[in-house]
Amino acid sequence: MLGVIGGMGPAATADFFAKLIEETPASCDEEHIPTLIVSDPRLPGRPAAILERGPSPLPALLAIRDKLLAAGATMLAMPCNTAHFWYEDLLRGCPVPFVSIVEASCDALRQIAPPAAPIGLIGTRATLAAGIFHRRVQAAGHPLLLPGEDELAAAILPSIRLVKEGRSIEAGKLLAPAVQRLLDRGAAAVILACTETPVALDAVASPLRALCVDSNRALAKSCVARWFSR
């Protein structure tokens, strides 16, 4: 059984599950991956914990992990990029594979970006400030292009909030120009390193999606590949 640590936020978790189903090579119900999702939006805020020394979500994340393991999960996934700040902590004592959204997204990057090309990164302020993607992307030889503070404040963070409010079309209209600006600055591709952002661009059917790594879909593909290779 695949165990999913979700709720960060609920729409992003639902999007991950939909893409997991889409990516599964199944011809009937029985061929899909048995999945147990804990979608708990009561977790302490991840950005506040990273940037403002707010309450850590790690105890709650560990409790959900252990609940999924006790229920029979033999593989884990967490469709939240910012929460991967605690990924190494969650790996400790974990007896089953835990698929990383960072590794999955960087693997997907190879399919759309040439070697050594600059890569744009869209995410929460906490994901960017903590460098959750930096080491992995730069180790692959890609210079990183980050949005400016004005773009974060005026477009990216508001678009993430709009998805959480159920206003995905408005979010997409706000986010697409910020993605385009990174491409205009020389990015060969953009990693959507917040799981609300693919929801936003999908809602407006943005043609920019072809130049973006959807971290939710990348995680879904990686889970499917690992599940069926076992």
Side-chain angles (χ1 to χ4, degrees):
M1 182 182 297
L2 172 64
V4 180
I5 302 174
M8 303 172 283
T13 301
D15 181 62
F16 165 75
F17 186 44
K19 288 168 180 173
L20 181 75
I21 294 167
E22 290 171 4
E23 294 294 336
T24 300
S27 58
C28 61
D29 291 347
E30 293 81 2
E31 293 177 356
H32 281 277
I33 300 172
T35 305
L36 182 61
I37 299 171
V38 174
S39 181
D40 191 343
R42 300 170 298 177
L43 290 164
R46 282 67 60 199
I50 294 170
L51 298 174
E52 303 166 16
R53 298 187 178 181
S56 173
L58 180 58
L61 291 170
L62 288 168
I64 294 171
R65 181 202 70 176
D66 292 344
K67 182 183 297 185
L68 290 166
L69 292 172
T74 56
M75 190 166 73
L76 296 174
M78 183 167 62
C80 175
N81 290 276
T82 307
H84 275 66
F85 181 80
W86 295 276
Y87 177 72
E88 296 298 330
D89 297 298
L90 291 166
L91 278 184
R92 294 191 186 98
C94 184
V96 303
F98 195 142
V99 185
S100 164
I101 200 169
V102 177
E103 295 293 328
S105 297
C106 291
D107 288 343
L109 181 63
R110 292 200 298 265
Q111 300 173 19
I112 63 172
I119 300 301
L121 190 63
I122 293 279
T124 65
R125 185 180 282 112
T127 294
L128 302 181
I132 292 171
F133 275 78
H134 289 44
R135 180 186 60 80
R136 181 67 172 77
V137 174
Q138 292 170 339
H142 297 286
L144 266 177
L145 295 177
L146 304 180
E149 178 59 33
D150 56 337
E151 292 169 311
L152 274 171
I156 296 169
L157 298 182
S159 73
I160 293 169
R161 185 172 61 251
L162 285 167
V163 172
K164 293 179 183 293
E165 294 174 0
R167 299 160 63 187
S168 298
I169 292 176
E170 293 173 67
K173 291 178 180 178
L174 194 58
L175 182 64
V179 174
Q180 185 63 60
R181 280 191 287 273
L182 284 171
L183 296 169
D184 291 343
R185 286 169 52 194
V190 175
I191 299 175
L192 300 176
C194 172
T195 47
E196 271 81 21
T197 53
V199 177
L201 292 187
D202 284 347
V204 295
S206 172
L208 297 177
R209 294 289 277 104
L211 295 173
C212 293
V213 171
D214 175 343
S215 57
N216 249 351
R217 189 171 294 280
L219 180 62
K221 284 185 175 182
S222 186
C223 287
V224 169
R226 294 190 66 167
W227 182 269
F228 287 102
S229 69
R230 299 191 308 168

